[in-house]
Amino acid sequence: MFSRKFDKGVKTGGAILSAVAAVLFLVGYFGFRNSFADVGYRPEQPVPFSHKLHAGELKIHCQYCHAGVEKSAHSPVPTTQTCMNCHTVIKAESPKLQLVRDSYESGKPIEWIRIHKVPDYVHFNHSRHIRAQIDCKSCHGPIEEMGVVSQFKPLSMGWCLDCHRAPEKNIVGARPISGVFTNAMHKIEDLKKGAYLFTPIPAQVGTSTPITNPQFGGYHSEVPAVKVAGIPHPKKAGIGPENCSACHY
Amino acid sequence: MKLRFSHILLLGLGLGLAVLLVMLFTGQKTWFSTNTPIEIQPNLDLQFKAIPQSPNTFFADGKSLREPVEGSLARGTTTYPLGPGDIDAAETANVEPSDLPKNSEFVLARGQNRFNTFCSPCHYFDGVSENSAISKKGWAGIPNLTRSETAALSNARIFHIISAGQNLMPSYADKIDPIDRWAIIRYLRTLQKVEGVASNPIAAAAAKN
């Protein structure tokens, strides 16, 4: 009915069109997933701050600068005052720190660029996770090895749920370097050995056992023996909640 | 066979697909970019609302976090009223809360945790200050906290130093809660091996390490 040429044209055109559609689908489906598009995001910060130097080599605990993370929903980016606790004397003339000194004098905050971000319709509470003795590394990766911080985990909903369902497979237990309170005394000799600071405390990674109603999740209630008002009590990590309103507004 | 345009197109698409597959499987390691992630569909990911520490065009100073009104405090926070020089006033003003349990490993562990976090950058894990990060970087003369002079200071005075600062040491009142400062003092006393602590078996064990 149709000419041979037309028939061939239809076939070739169809093949090309489906190839284009397949590539577009693959790019759209995989290429813009968080695990692909967001992981590795490492913006250039206004001040070339190195976590590798401060946390990795100098072994300053995460919470020295990100203080308050165990009590508030967000993990605070340190104030300029925090930088100047040391940098009034150390490298006081360094041109790399000019912006910090300017900010300290003017009171205008340094405009750090945010890397880790969940969508605005999600509420993530740092304090709840820190108090379950989950180390920063679980979600932020080995920050102490990063000269320039890049996003290490996808921070997607599926990734959150993977961990809420099987925490013992995904959580990095609290490490001394992060400053997460675990209700455990450390030997000073161990702390002096730098390597110990980066080793998770195995006993703190609880196995997940379903609680009475897994839908609502929660902590194990076995840990706090003593209660002192104002001290955030560490608890063992249990299965996380899976109901929508646990994370979504 | 004669090379046709469609062949080149298919070859290009195939190559593109191969590159994409390589990127997919190695993506976590190689896909480093300084550009903000692309949002094909915004999905209300970015909403106009005040998020802590983010810029905000609604307020004149551009900050989402508001400064407290003058003379007011944020709920649950305290302020330390004394300056670094008010040593005499500090002796009477700072009283250890009675609900902080004695001989408690929990309190000591908390003290150690906070000490390691906030004090160790300068005073090191043992309080001797010699091998601390800041000493290694050339800040000389960080006081040794285990000296007998420091051990002789009252708890109230040490609370005062943590809260108000002393000499080049800044105030840590905004970083360490009062209850944690008392826990730090408890722990510091074990480092100093102050008399009376050694009779407490938990503290003695901590001091020995």
Side-chain angles (χ1 to χ4, degrees):
Chain A
M1 198 160 135
F2 295 113
S3 71
R4 180 169 287 208
K5 201 180 166 194
F6 184 83
D7 191 52
K8 203 177 174 191
V10 166
K11 278 177 182 164
T12 323
I16 291 171
L17 271 178
S18 49
V20 168
V23 168
L24 281 179
F25 171 77
L26 283 172
V27 169
Y29 191 75
F30 291 111
F32 293 93
R33 290 190 151 197
N34 287 14
S35 56
F36 183 56
D38 289 11
V39 169
Y41 171 44
R42 49 170 188 189
E44 199 180 330
Q45 300 290 355
V47 181
F49 177 85
S50 168
H51 281 83
K52 192 179 181 178
L53 172 68
H54 289 81
E57 285 174 36
L58 299 177
K59 301 186 178 65
I60 298 170
H61 291 35
C62 306
Q63 285 192 31
Y64 182 88
C65 301
H66 302 286
V69 65
E70 58 179 21
K71 295 205 173 150
S72 69
H74 76 287
S75 173
V77 175
T79 56
T80 307
Q81 166 68 51
T82 309
C83 309
M84 294 305 274
N85 283 352
C86 298
H87 286 295
T88 44
V89 173
I90 308 290
K91 305 252 181 208
E93 304 295 320
S94 170
K96 287 181 185 171
L97 291 167
Q98 188 57 48
L99 213 63
V100 179
R101 289 192 294 273
D102 290 349
S103 159
Y104 190 54
E105 270 164 41
S106 67
K108 204 174 171 298
I110 303 167
E111 292 182 22
W112 301 101
I113 298 162
R114 185 167 187 177
I115 301 170
H116 298 86
K117 188 177 183 315
V118 289
D120 282 351
Y121 46 81
V122 177
H123 49 86
F124 176 83
N125 193 325
H126 273 90
S127 69
R128 193 166 168 84
H129 292 84
I130 294 290
R131 287 183 59 188
Q133 306 178 38
I134 298 168
D135 195 83
C136 319
K137 190 182 180 180
S138 313
C139 307
H140 295 286
I143 292 282
E144 75 277 358
E145 292 167 14
M146 297 182 191
V148 179
V149 173
S150 59
Q151 186 172 328
F152 196 76
K153 298 279 184 180
L155 306 192
S156 60
M157 180 169 153
W159 171 80
C160 288
L161 281 174
D162 281 348
C163 197
H164 272 220
R165 285 170 181 155
E168 73 278 3
K169 286 182 192 146
N170 299 295
I171 286 172
V172 177
R175 304 174 301 164
I177 187 70
S178 61
V180 173
F181 181 39
T182 58
N183 197 7
M185 292 289 280
H186 304 299
K187 287 185 180 167
I188 291 166
E189 290 310 316
D190 285 344
L191 289 166
K192 284 178 179 172
K193 279 182 246 154
Y196 177 76
L197 287 170
F198 300 106
T199 312
I201 303 161
Q204 306 303 337
V205 192
T207 48
S208 65
T209 45
I211 49 163
T212 44
N213 186 349
Q215 188 67 300
F216 294 99
Y219 298 121
H220 281 257
S221 54
E222 53 184 81
V223 174
V226 192
K227 286 206 168 189
V228 183
I231 296 181
H233 297 271
K235 293 171 185 183
K236 254 189 186 169
I239 274 184
E242 274 182 58
N243 56 332
C244 311
S245 63
C247 306
H248 290 282
Y249 285 107
Chain B
M1 195 175 73
K2 213 176 151 193
L3 202 62
R4 293 232 181 97
F5 172 69
S6 60
H7 290 137
I8 298 167
L9 195 69
L10 281 173
L11 195 71
L13 284 171
L15 276 176
L17 197 67
V19 168
L20 187 82
L21 284 172
V22 169
M23 278 157 71
L24 274 177
F25 287 114
T26 58
Q28 297 229 353
K29 298 279 180 287
T30 57
W31 189 247
F32 287 116
S33 171
T34 54
N35 302 323
T36 38
I38 305 157
E39 300 260 357
I40 305 184
Q41 200 184 4
N43 267 342
L44 290 176
D45 276 8
L46 297 166
Q47 299 168 12
F48 184 74
K49 62 178 184 182
I51 293 160
Q53 298 195 310
S54 63
N56 194 315
T57 51
F58 183 75
F59 297 109
D61 61 0
K63 294 188 247 182
S64 279
L65 284 180
R66 310 310 304 146
E67 302 282 341
V69 178
E70 212 171 314
S72 70
L73 268 180
R75 186 178 291 190
T77 59
T78 53
T79 180
Y80 191 70
L82 304 175
D86 305 331
I87 295 164
D88 295 329
E91 292 289 348
T92 50
N94 299 329
V95 183
E96 193 175 278
S98 54
D99 59 346
L100 198 67
K102 305 272 180 206
N103 300 346
S104 157
E105 194 175 358
F106 176 80
V107 175
L108 274 184
R110 179 66 179 171
Q112 190 192 44
N113 172 271
R114 296 291 92 181
F115 184 91
N116 289 344
T117 303
F118 293 108
C119 312
S120 75
C122 295
H123 295 295
Y124 205 46
F125 301 112
D126 53 7
V128 181
S129 315
E130 214 172 275
N131 294 313
S132 66
I134 208 163
S135 299
K136 281 184 194 156
K137 285 285 166 187
W139 188 329
I142 307 278
N144 177 352
L145 300 182
T146 59
R147 289 176 307 170
S148 52
E149 293 96 312
T150 316
L153 294 176
S154 69
N155 284 356
R157 178 70 194 284
I158 296 174
F159 186 91
H160 175 68
I161 294 171
I162 300 173
S163 310
Q166 178 173 283
N167 301 331
L168 282 173
M169 176 178 157
S171 156
Y172 277 82
D174 61 331
K175 289 198 186 299
I176 314 175
D177 284 345
I179 196 84
D180 290 336
R181 283 174 237 164
W182 290 113
I184 286 175
I185 294 168
R186 287 274 179 86
Y187 176 67
L188 179 62
R189 293 306 192 194
T190 68
L191 290 179
Q192 293 169 336
K193 303 182 176 64
V194 169
E195 224 174 308
V197 172
S199 62
N200 168 0
I202 299 160
K208 219 192 299 168
N209 295 326

